[in-house]
């Protein structure tokens, strides 16, 4: 008698060299080449030729240009595909390269280096980096005026500034506090180990994960703009925006924490005949409270910064105040607000990291 | 009335990943026995215990506990059966950061309402019982210590107290001494023996060391590759059986 273990490799690890697989690799390799060369042709024409060499002010854009570039790219790719210069072939492993040789000196890297340099040059042009403007006489006087004003903050507005700062901190706190129970619940639904037992719970898990990913990828700033149309400009709109983002971020962090806990206490509680809610309360919760607390405090810290930024689009608090004075070009007042914000951010950062370190 | 507390028939377990961990295991357990299960790593010992209290669902076959079929029950019926079967584990599986007393009290969860247990409200009776069990396992004075700060042997004794808190008719022990040193192993086994003899709790216990088996078991079954290949008294395990169970090259290691 012997132990027979049926071991089957997961699909993606089973290696079968089939004709189809090979030709699809070639197609992918060629597509990579065409895209890279197409990109190279397009930006070389638009930026290097039209802007830098011909110095055109308003080079007009037509959709035929990228198409033509792709065409040029395709021709170049087809020619180079036969040689040692194809990045596509290299990335699909279609070259036989000696294990001891480094990739850095291979011919196909030539295009790679070229694209990096090209992109850097184009980047400078697109972001309009200009030393002339940076060092221009008028520009420097303006900057000097603002900087002197900033360094002479107007302490007359310290009282309203502090009130606005307090408003921001409270807004961030309330947003964190309101998010907490929602994130706490969602965290369980987004934890793979708790949800992968039955098809129904696994479907819920996927749905929740999807929602969390989508809502997290939309910046709080955008939510703030949406909500300020909905409930009017002010702290409430800012708070709603923060809440939405905090719920998703916290739920994600919480669920990852749940996925990392040890099964032991859960098994032990289940074995006593405890109700599933009791199993979670005694088997899961004690393992996660401290990390949760730490995440939540960190989130409050993040929310104070975000609340300041959201204030710039009318979410209330010190950000809104900053925006108003900036609009009036009252630089001494702006200087004071910048100092107040810096101090708050520093205090929050310092105390939150201290608290988190002490509850490890 | 039958004296069998447990009847296992043709139990099969195939894990979702395709591992065939139990291949038709059948045996009976008489009330009051100290039954030890031996076998190589991976032979299916843990799987067998977990199929009995349904921490894992068996793929087919039957498990009767006190003549009640447990492979098909669900929800509160299942919890009811589980509450009569205590379990202790190799890694103790106590609740971290909680006191010894709280840990022992979790043994009454099945009889305490969800809300009460969440707010930590237990009856005076339960508290008194928990304290007396803590005394029984020799940990008086430690009831308010954090369980995860205790030594391995002490943690396992807390786990025994927790299991006894359930008033179990049967105790499943999955390698209860595998992470303990020899002296501590014996002390923990002594407590299990006491539970078995003085409280009359039937015990099913996975063990690795044959010296412990000979000393504590009243009966032994052996698993190999998910099949039951030996059933008998611990004294009958001779050289030949040893080789069959553990393989030709195995040499017995003793613990004393
Ligand atoms: N949750 C699981 N999922 C998939 N396979 C599992 C799972 N648990 C155990 N197995 C497999 O089932 C077989 C039996 O494992 P089991 O843990 O029951 O053995 P064991 O006799 O308790 O071994 P050990 O002495 O190492 O604890 C092994 O091949 C193991 O890999
Ligand atoms: Mg095991």
């Amino acid at each position: 008698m012997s132990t027979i273990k049926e071991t089957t490799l997961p699909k993606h690890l089973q290696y079968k060299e089939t004709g189809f697989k090979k030709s699809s690799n070639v197609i992918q390799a060629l597509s990579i080449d065409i895209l890279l060369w197409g990109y190279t042709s397009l930006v070389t024409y638009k930026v290097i030729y039209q802007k830098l060499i011909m110095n055109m002010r308003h080079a007009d854009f037509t959709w035929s240009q990228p198409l033509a570039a792709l065409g040029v790219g395709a021709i170049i790719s087809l020619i180079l595909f036969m040689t040692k210069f194809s990045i596509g072939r290299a990335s699909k492993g279609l070259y036989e390269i000696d294990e001891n040789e480094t990739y850095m000196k291979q011919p196909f890297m030539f295009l790679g280096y070229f694209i990096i340099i090209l992109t850097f040059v184009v980047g400078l042009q697109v972001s309009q980096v200009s030393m002339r403007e940076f060092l221009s006489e008028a520009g420097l006087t303006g900057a000097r005026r603002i900087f002197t004003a900033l360094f002479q903050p107007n302490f007359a507005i310290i009282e309203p500034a502090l009130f606005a700062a307090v408003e921001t901190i409270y807004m961030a706190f309330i947003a964190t506090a309101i998010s907490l129970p929602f994130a706490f619940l969602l965290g369980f639904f987004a934890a793979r180990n708790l949800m992968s037992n039955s098809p129904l719970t696994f479907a819920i898990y996927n749905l929740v994960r999807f929602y969390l990913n989508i809502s997290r990828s939309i910046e709080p700033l955008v939510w703030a703009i949406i909500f300020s149309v909905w409930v009017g400009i002010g702290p409430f709109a800012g708070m709603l925006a923060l809440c939405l983002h905090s719920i998703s971020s916290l739920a994600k962090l919480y669920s990852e924490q749940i996925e990392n806990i040890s099964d032991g206490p859960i098994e032990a509680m289940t074995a006593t005949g405890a109700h599933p809610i009791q199993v979670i309360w005694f088997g899961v919760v004690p393992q996660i409270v401290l990390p949760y607390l730490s995440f939540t405090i960190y989130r409050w810290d993040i929310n104070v910064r975000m609340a300041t930024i959201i204030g710039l689009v009318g979410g209330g608090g010190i950000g809104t105040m900053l925006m108003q004075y900036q609009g009036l070009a009252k630089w001494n007042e702006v200087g004071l607000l910048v100092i107040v914000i810096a101090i708050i951010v520093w205090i929050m950062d310092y105390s939150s990291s201290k608290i988190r370190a002490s509850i490890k | 009335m039958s004296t069998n507390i447990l009847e296992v028939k043709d139990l099969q377990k195939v894990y979702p990943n395709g591992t065939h961990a139990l291949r038709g295991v059948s045996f009976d357990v008489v009330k009051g026995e100290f039954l030890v299960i031996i076998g190589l790593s991976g032979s299916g010992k843990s799987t067998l215990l977990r199929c009995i209290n349904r921490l894992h669902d068996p793929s087919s076959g039957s498990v009767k506990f006190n003549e009640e079929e447990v492979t098909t029950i669900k929800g509160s019926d299942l919890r009811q059966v589980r509450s009569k079967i205590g379990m202790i584990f190799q890694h103790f599986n106590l609740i971290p950061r909680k006191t010894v007393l709280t840990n022992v009290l979790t043994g009454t969860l099945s009889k305490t309402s969800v809300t009460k247990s969440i707010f930590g409200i237990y009856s005076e009776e339960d508290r008194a019982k928990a304290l007396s069990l803590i005394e029984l396992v020799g940990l008086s004075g430690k009831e308010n210590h954090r369980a995860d700060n205790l030594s391995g042997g002490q943690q396992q004794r807390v786990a025994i107290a927790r299991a006894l808190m359930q008033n179990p008719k049967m105790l499943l022990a999955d390698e209860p001494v595998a992470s303990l040193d020899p002296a501590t192993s014996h002390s923990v086994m002594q407590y299990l023996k006491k539970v078995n003899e003085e409280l009359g709790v039937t015990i099913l216990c996975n063990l690795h060391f044959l010296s412990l088996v000979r000393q504590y078991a009243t009966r032994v079954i052996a698993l190999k590759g998910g099949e039951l290949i030996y059933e008998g008294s611990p004294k009958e395990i001779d050289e030949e059986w040893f080789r069959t169970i553990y393989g030709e090259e195995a040499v017995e290691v003793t613990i004393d």
Side-chain angles (χ1 to χ4, degrees):
Chain A
M1 266 177 288
S2 66
T3 321
I4 303 161
K5 278 190 214 159
E6 285 94 330
T7 43
T8 40
L9 277 174
K11 272 257 158 55
H12 64 281
L13 292 179
Q14 292 173 352
Y15 185 70
K16 284 198 202 99
E17 179 102 25
T18 60
F20 170 75
K21 180 118 193 259
K22 201 151 186 211
S23 65
S24 97
N25 260 346
V26 169
I27 291 171
Q28 284 178 23
L30 204 56
S31 315
I32 293 173
D33 277 355
I34 293 176
L35 281 178
L36 287 178
W37 279 109
Y39 166 77
T40 309
S41 323
L42 184 66
V43 297
T44 308
Y45 174 72
K46 295 295 299 181
V47 180
I48 307 293
Y49 176 73
Q50 286 190 334
K51 288 261 175 175
L52 292 182
I53 299 178
M54 302 302 287
N55 207 3
M56 287 192 207
R57 286 255 149 210
H58 301 287
D60 48 336
F61 177 86
T62 58
W63 280 104
S64 59
Q65 287 167 348
L67 285 181
L70 271 184
V72 175
I75 296 172
I76 302 178
S77 305
L78 279 174
I79 298 172
L80 291 184
F81 203 71
M82 308 304 149
T83 69
K84 284 200 168 295
F85 285 90
S86 161
I87 283 200
R89 272 182 75 173
S91 66
K92 284 276 132 193
L94 298 178
Y95 281 135
E96 280 175 19
I97 296 167
D98 187 354
E99 296 246 319
N100 297 324
E101 273 185 82
T102 97
Y103 268 45
M104 294 299 140
K105 289 182 185 151
Q106 298 291 332
F108 57 75
M109 288 304 291
F110 163 78
L111 175 61
Y113 295 132
F114 184 69
I115 286 180
I116 291 169
I117 294 167
L118 183 69
T119 305
F120 185 75
V121 173
V122 170
L124 288 180
Q125 167 66 31
V126 170
S127 22
Q128 304 184 345
V129 174
S130 158
M131 272 301 145
R132 208 178 314 137
E133 265 171 44
F134 194 68
L135 297 174
S136 77
E137 191 58 34
L140 281 180
T141 353
R144 207 172 296 130
R145 200 179 64 237
I146 291 179
F147 272 113
T148 23
L150 284 181
F151 283 113
Q152 291 165 348
N154 179 0
F155 280 92
I157 61 155
I158 184 81
E159 245 175 64
L162 284 181
F163 273 118
V166 166
E167 189 175 284
T168 297
I169 294 178
Y170 273 91
M171 185 169 105
F173 179 75
I174 291 297
T176 318
I178 291 180
S179 315
L180 197 78
F182 293 99
F184 184 80
L185 275 181
L186 281 176
F188 289 107
F189 291 116
R192 201 189 183 96
N193 53 342
L194 297 184
M195 300 298 284
S196 58
N197 292 326
S198 85
L200 176 72
T201 55
F202 196 61
I204 297 176
Y205 159 86
N206 278 316
L207 213 71
V208 171
R209 274 276 147 139
F210 181 73
Y211 162 75
L212 293 183
N213 287 337
I214 296 290
S215 57
R216 231 159 21 97
S217 60
I218 297 175
E219 284 290 318
L221 200 61
V222 177
W223 285 122
I225 294 170
I226 296 171
F227 280 121
S228 61
V229 174
W230 191 343
V231 300
I233 286 181
F236 186 49
M239 201 198 68
L240 284 177
L242 284 180
C243 276
L244 217 61
H245 200 258
S246 304
I247 289 175
S248 321
S249 306
L250 280 177
K252 183 91 192 307
L253 287 174
Y254 289 174
S255 67
E256 277 162 13
Q257 197 58 42
I258 296 175
E259 286 172 358
N260 283 331
I261 62 173
S262 86
D263 282 341
I266 301 178
E267 268 198 321
M269 290 302 101
T270 314
T272 64
H275 188 275
I277 295 175
Q278 294 172 321
V279 173
I280 288 185
W281 185 256
F282 290 94
V284 179
V285 173
Q287 297 193 62
I288 55 178
V289 269
L290 288 192
Y292 270 36
L293 204 61
S294 162
F295 289 145
T296 312
I297 291 171
Y298 185 47
R299 188 67 217 179
W300 180 23
D301 179 10
I302 294 177
N303 276 349
V304 170
R305 292 159 211 237
M306 281 192 170
T308 312
I309 304 291
I310 283 176
L312 295 179
V313 297
I318 197 158
T320 300
M321 201 170 168
L322 181 73
M323 179 198 64
Q324 283 158 354
Y325 281 112
Q326 181 271 130
L328 299 169
K330 293 188 162 179
W331 300 111
N332 304 75
E333 285 76 4
V334 170
L336 180 88
L337 292 175
V338 169
I339 293 173
V340 172
I341 291 173
I343 291 176
I344 292 170
V345 168
W346 180 78
I347 292 177
M348 286 302 295
D349 190 69
Y350 179 82
S351 46
S352 109
S353 70
K354 275 281 172 227
I355 296 173
R356 279 180 290 130
S358 70
I359 58 174
K360 266 280 150 54
Chain B
M1 211 187 123
S2 141
T3 55
N4 285 346
I5 189 168
L6 186 75
E7 295 176 0
V8 176
K9 272 211 181 59
D10 202 25
L11 200 63
Q12 304 254 2
K13 172 66 184 175
V14 183
Y15 282 107
N17 68 1
T19 310
H20 205 152
L22 294 177
R23 299 165 179 266
V25 174
S26 307
F27 62 96
D28 294 339
V29 183
V30 179
K31 270 189 193 127
E33 272 194 292
F34 196 126
L35 178 74
V36 169
I37 305 161
I38 57 174
L40 278 177
S41 234
S43 57
K45 305 183 297 292
S46 303
T47 308
L48 177 60
L49 291 191
R50 281 170 171 71
C51 283
I52 292 171
N53 67 353
R54 294 274 305 278
L55 287 182
H56 290 326
D57 286 328
S59 310
S60 70
S62 123
V63 175
K64 284 198 175 131
F65 175 71
N66 274 335
E67 300 183 335
E68 183 184 1
E69 179 61 51
V70 298
T71 53
T72 48
I73 52 175
K74 291 202 199 82
S76 66
D77 290 339
L78 176 58
R79 297 202 289 274
Q80 195 58 41
V81 168
R82 279 177 178 156
S83 75
K84 293 178 202 147
I85 307 177
M87 186 161 189
I88 60 176
F89 306 82
Q90 175 178 355
H91 299 293
F92 327 127
N93 295 355
L94 299 179
I95 314 295
R97 292 195 197 83
K98 298 280 177 193
T99 63
V100 169
L101 182 61
T102 311
N103 264 287
V104 173
L105 281 168
T106 58
T108 61
L109 286 182
S110 66
K111 296 176 191 74
T112 314
S113 80
V114 171
T115 7
K116 278 191 176 167
S117 62
I118 282 179
F119 290 105
I121 304 168
Y122 297 93
S123 70
E124 268 319 305
E125 254 172 275
D126 284 343
R127 277 176 193 279
K129 188 175 165 202
L131 287 173
S132 76
L133 286 173
I134 291 171
E135 196 184 327
L136 179 86
V137 295
L139 291 173
S140 331
K142 294 248 188 279
E143 54 270 5
N144 291 321
H145 284 48
R146 259 174 68 160
D148 48 357
N149 287 343
L150 301 180
S151 74
Q154 291 172 327
Q155 289 193 41
Q156 195 61 297
R157 276 140 63 192
V158 176
I160 294 175
R162 170 175 72 188
L164 292 180
M165 197 67 199
Q166 292 172 229
N167 271 335
K169 302 282 169 281
M170 185 168 83
L171 202 64
L172 307 175
D174 190 5
E175 286 172 32
V177 296
S179 34
L180 303 175
D181 62 63
T184 319
S185 292
H186 270 294
S187 111
V188 166
M189 289 307 295
Q190 287 293 348
Y191 279 108
L192 287 181
K193 188 176 167 167
K194 191 162 148 188
V195 167
N196 177 244
E197 289 174 354
E198 290 171 24
L199 306 179
V201 178
T202 310
I203 295 187
L204 260 74
C205 179
N206 290 349
L207 281 181
H208 268 308
F209 285 104
L210 279 183
S211 51
L212 289 180
V213 177
R214 294 203 183 89
Q215 206 168 335
Y216 295 99
T218 58
R219 198 159 62 96
V220 180
I221 61 177
L223 291 180
K224 185 169 184 180
E227 284 175 280
L228 200 142
I229 57 160
Y230 176 86
E231 182 169 358
S233 119
K235 293 184 199 75
E236 291 159 21
I237 307 178
D238 52 18
E239 192 77 354
E240 200 188 320
W241 270 113
F242 182 77
R243 291 247 167 85
T244 323
I245 297 166
Y246 290 104
E248 285 305 322
E249 263 111 80
V251 178
E252 192 179 335
V253 183
T254 54
I255 170 176
D256 29 42

